[in-house]
Amino acid sequence: MRVFFTLLLLGLAPDLWGQNAPLALDAHGQEPIKMYKTSWSTDVSVIAGASAFTAAIVLWDASFPLPTETEVSRLDPMDVNRFERGAIYNQSSTINTISDVGQYLGGMSSWFLYLDPAVRADGWEVAVMYLEVALLNQAITETAKTIFRRPRPYMYNPDYPLEGKIGSSTGYHSFWSGHTSFSTCMSFYTAKVFNDYHPDSPWRYVVWGAAATVPAVTGWARVGAGKHFYTDVIAGYLTGAALGYLVPELHKRWARKHRQEIPK
């Protein structure tokens, strides 16, 4: 099935992105005009900085003591607001698997951009932005989890096995949802890049629709599995959407400014 699906996508590629039209050249008729601009000094600094910051946050998080039986026993479901209290009693391994699939689908969506010859021509820029979106999202998400240290819904659930709560290194990582933020940032990144290269394509509505739906289902599944509250997935969704859209948009504006500064 996977081979058939890949061949189908390759067969649809000319319809999705059009024929391999020659890339436009700059004012001097030499270099192809780039959709996005990157630089070693700026982008490598962002990637390295986000990676180092995430590592520091993870070390900080590891310094907190693990939940004890006494601490867990003090968690009262009535302390959770009524709107979100229902998530406490959700338990489903099947729905949890759906959330994992949604995370992977969102993360892998950008790979399909490379079916587009225009994207392949700017392969370096697109790959660099992909790393920036993913790493910035990871850094921000890990920071939120460590600072807020919100107990996950199952930590309040009296029916959840006690051994799954005591000593849980992720039991206080509820806010916000990393599955949702990652799926959203990558899905929106994919849709944004596709839209930038093909602003008039009728397929952009399908791409944006999928970009909005996959992480939404992922967030729903995280709540359904008892891993997160509604506000966790809402915050993760909004954060991921902002990063997935803004990173390529800023590089696009940078490229436009750079072209305007080139002497004619």
Side-chain angles (χ1 to χ4, degrees):
M1 280 297 291
R2 281 180 289 183
V3 174
F4 170 77
F5 184 63
T6 301
L7 291 175
L8 178 62
L9 283 172
L10 290 173
L12 287 174
D15 295 325
L16 287 170
W17 291 290
Q19 301 300 319
N20 296 9
L23 299 176
L25 301 180
D26 64 16
H28 302 286
Q30 297 177 348
E31 297 294 331
I33 295 176
K34 295 286 188 179
M35 178 67 68
Y36 307 106
K37 177 171 173 54
T38 58
S39 76
W40 278 101
S41 59
T42 301
D43 293 289
V44 171
S45 296
V46 170
I47 291 172
S51 300
F53 188 80
T54 300
I57 290 295
V58 169
L59 289 174
W60 179 32
D61 180 63
S63 68
F64 287 90
L66 297 177
T68 63
E69 183 174 358
T70 301
E71 184 179 356
V72 170
S73 66
R74 293 173 181 165
L75 295 176
D76 186 355
M78 297 306 295
D79 291 337
V80 178
N81 65 80
R82 185 177 301 178
F83 169 67
E84 301 191 285
R85 199 175 299 156
I88 292 173
Y89 306 99
N90 292 339
Q91 286 190 68
S92 174
S93 58
T94 300
I95 295 180
N96 187 57
T97 300
I98 292 175
S99 72
D100 290 338
V101 172
Q103 181 187 37
Y104 295 136
L105 283 177
M108 293 171 59
S109 62
S110 300
W111 299 0
F112 294 102
L113 288 170
Y114 283 87
L115 292 172
D116 184 352
V119 171
R120 291 199 299 271
D122 293 339
W124 168 255
E125 288 80 7
V126 173
V128 166
M129 291 189 302
Y130 177 96
L131 280 176
E132 287 180 339
V133 172
L135 293 173
L136 286 172
N137 177 74
Q138 183 74 7
I140 297 172
T141 300
E142 291 296 334
T143 300
K145 288 179 180 292
T146 303
I147 290 176
F148 291 102
R149 297 192 63 75
R150 185 185 193 183
R152 292 184 186 271
Y154 67 78
M155 297 291 285
Y156 292 93
N157 190 343
D159 298 325
Y160 195 87
L162 186 60
E163 57 269 21
K165 302 177 183 179
I166 299 174
S168 173
S169 61
T170 61
Y172 282 75
H173 284 179
S174 193
F175 189 82
W176 53 72
S177 171
H179 275 64
T180 306
S181 66
F182 181 72
S183 179
T184 309
C185 74
M186 291 293 92
S187 295
F188 272 64
Y189 170 74
T190 301
K192 168 61 175 168
V193 171
F194 179 89
N195 194 96
D196 284 346
Y197 281 101
H198 308 282
D200 300 320
S201 171
W203 285 93
R204 70 188 187 279
Y205 301 109
V206 177
V207 174
W208 275 112
T213 301
V214 170
V217 172
T218 303
W220 162 83
R222 294 305 282 170
V223 175
K227 302 294 185 180
H228 287 286
F229 294 104
Y230 294 113
T231 49
D232 299 335
V233 300
I234 292 172
Y237 193 102
L238 294 176
T239 302
L243 286 171
Y245 184 89
L246 289 177
V247 169
E249 176 64 19
L250 290 174
H251 282 80
K252 180 181 177 181
R253 295 186 182 189
W254 189 11
R256 186 184 302 128
K257 181 180 179 181
H258 178 71
R259 289 196 296 270
Q260 293 172 348
E261 292 174 350
I262 295 177
K264 297 183 178 180

